[in-house]
Amino acid sequence: FLEMHRALATWVRALQAQATQAAQEVPVASLGMTLCDGALGSPAMVRDGAALLLALVAYLQPSMLAELPSDTASLVATVLCARMFGRTGGAQLQGLACEVFALAFPLWRGHLATALPDRSFGPGPGPSTSASPGGSSASSSHQADRSASPENRVRRDSTLDPDLERLAVQVLSLYQEPRVAPACLALMMQVGAADPWLLIQ
C-alpha cells in the first residue's frame, strides 16, 4: 500500500509541474522509470497519463485519493477537460477522457468552474413561430408561451447551475463527432442525472 501511495503521489507531482523541465525530472521510483522524453513521451503525455490514472483511482478507491494533496481532484479535472474539449490529443484520448470523467462525475462536478476551458456560448435557438403546412404555427406559439411562463423563467434563472450548463453545451457539441459520440453519451447521462431539466432545455 505504501509503494502504491508513493507512486500516486509522484503522478500528482507530475500534474503539479508547470515547467517542461520540471515535468521531465519527476522520478517514478516505485514504477521503475523516469518521467522523461525517452520513457513516457512528452511532458504533456506524462500529465495526460497521470490524470487518467488518478481519475481511475478516484473511481475505484476514493479513500486513496482523499489521502493525496487537496488540489489533486482539481488538477485531474482540469487536465481531463482540456483533453475532452481540446484538439491536440486526438479522438481516442478525447473519448477516454470522457469515459473516465463520467465514472467519477460527482467528484469532478465540484471543480467545473476552474476546470472547463473558457468558451462563450449563447442560448440555443428558440422554437420556430413561422407558419407551416398543417397549421403548426399555433403549436409553436403555444410552446413559446410555455417557455416564457413565469415558472420556467424562475427555473432557468434561479436554479440552473451555470458551470453544469457550460459542460452540457460543450459535451453536446463534442457529441456531434461520430468518433467520440459513444464516450460522450456516458457523460451526457451523468449530466442528465444531475439535472434532467438542463438537457431538456
Side-chain angles (χ1 to χ4, degrees):
F1 177 81
L2 181 60
E3 290 299 318
M4 176 61 73
H5 187 273
R6 288 175 177 171
L8 294 177
T10 301
W11 287 111
V12 173
R13 290 199 298 275
L15 286 182
Q16 293 172 333
Q18 298 298 321
T20 299
Q21 186 66 23
Q24 290 177 334
E25 293 179 350
V26 176
V28 188
S30 61
L31 299 180
M33 61 182 69
T34 302
L35 299 182
C36 62
D37 288 345
L40 293 179
S42 68
M45 292 177 63
V46 169
R47 287 190 289 272
D48 291 341
L52 293 172
L53 172 66
L54 290 168
L56 291 175
V57 171
Y59 172 65
L60 298 172
Q61 295 290 338
S63 59
M64 295 185 67
L65 190 72
E67 297 176 2
L68 296 173
S70 58
D71 62 344
T72 300
S74 177
L75 290 169
V76 172
T78 299
V79 174
L80 291 180
C81 285
R83 289 299 165 256
M84 283 192 293
F85 307 120
R87 303 296 179 183
T88 58
Q92 185 175 10
L93 184 56
Q94 280 182 304
L96 188 57
C98 283
E99 290 175 353
V100 297
F101 197 90
L103 287 175
F105 178 74
L107 175 61
W108 316 131
R109 181 181 176 181
H111 303 282
L112 291 177
T114 56
L116 287 172
D118 292 330
R119 291 184 181 177
S120 59
F121 61 90
S128 173
T129 58
S130 61
S132 61
S136 62
S137 58
S139 174
S140 299
S141 299
H142 178 65
Q143 292 177 2
D145 291 341
R146 291 185 59 188
S147 176
S149 64
E151 57 271 22
N152 284 341
R153 285 200 302 269
V154 170
R155 174 64 182 85
R156 288 197 301 267
D157 297 340
S158 64
T159 64
L160 191 64
D161 184 336
D163 297 320
L164 193 62
E165 184 182 16
R166 289 173 59 206
L167 176 65
V169 169
Q170 295 188 34
V171 172
L172 286 171
S173 177
L174 187 60
Y175 182 72
Q176 308 307 313
E177 301 183 14
R179 291 180 299 174
V180 294
C184 286
L185 184 58
L187 185 51
M188 287 172 61
M189 291 177 64
Q190 291 290 344
V191 174
D195 191 344
W197 185 258
L198 179 61
L199 288 187
I200 292 175
Q201 290 189 78

